[in-house]
Amino acid sequence: MSDSAPLRGGEQPKIDDKLPVLERTPTRLTLFLFGVAYWTSHKIHYDVEAARAEGFDDVLVTANLLSAYNVELLTHWTGNPQCVLELAERNISPAIAGEMLTITGRVVDLEPAGDRTTARCSLLISRRDGSTVLEGSALVALP
């Protein structure tokens, strides 16, 4: 398997393989619509003035949307929308509307699990300048 490529039928990853990079730039509209879908009630996620009153330059990206980006990365890589068995994340610093976010992952462990193999992956969401927004890990079922 080559680094940064989705898995294809029968391919098995190796430890230290990189997952395909995902880039997203959440807009104010993205955050508003995502907030409506998830009943986000804190104004700093959809009201610019409320966010500025709290000391931020713009509205903040919700943790749920960051999680969705990680799940998108993992499901795109495996080709299975139900591959995520565990997801653990730690928000390091806030992301704001309009910032380009880079979502990356790496295989850190492989383990047989009955009739399938699972992969433990490290996850990272960072800004264009390389600063960290979120660190995490996931356990995924491989095809």
Side-chain angles (χ1 to χ4, degrees), residues 8 11 37 39 52 62 71 105 113-114 118 125-126 138 143:
R8 301 286 181 228
E11 282 187 313
W39 295 78
R52 289 185 178 146
T62 66
V71 170
T118 60
I125 298 180
S126 57

Side-chain angles (χ1 to χ4, degrees), residues 15 47 50 55 65 74-75 100 106 109 125 127 132 135 138:
I15 293 175
D47 183 313
L65 184 54
L74 296 163
T75 58
M100 188 187 79
R106 185 176 62 84
D109 193 24
I125 298 180
R127 292 181 193 78
T132 300
E135 295 175 340

Side-chain angles (χ1 to χ4, degrees), residues 95-124:
I96 61 170
E99 282 186 314
M100 188 187 79
L101 302 175
T102 302
I103 301 93
T104 59
R106 185 176 62 84
V107 176
V108 296
D109 193 24
L110 296 166
E111 190 169 314
D115 61 343
R116 65 178 180 210
T117 300
T118 60
R120 173 79 52 194
C121 299
S122 63
L123 302 168
L124 180 71

Side-chain angles (χ1 to χ4, degrees), residues 37-113:
Y38 277 83
W39 295 78
T40 301
S41 60
H42 199 304
K43 284 185 158 190
I44 63 172
H45 297 299
Y46 61 87
D47 183 313
V48 177
E49 294 310 314
R52 289 185 178 146
E54 295 289 331
F56 300 104
D57 293 335
D58 210 320
V59 293
L60 301 183
V61 179
T62 66
N64 289 344
L65 184 54
L66 296 173
S67 295
Y69 290 157
N70 275 329
V71 170
E72 182 182 359
L73 173 75
L74 296 163
T75 58
H76 171 73
W77 177 57
T78 65
N80 177 359
Q82 298 174 334
C83 70
V84 180
L85 304 173
E86 296 174 11
L87 182 63
E89 300 167 317
R90 185 169 73 107
N91 294 307
I92 306 298
S93 63
I96 61 170
E99 282 186 314
M100 188 187 79
L101 302 175
T102 302
I103 301 93
T104 59
R106 185 176 62 84
V107 176
V108 296
D109 193 24
L110 296 166
E111 190 169 314

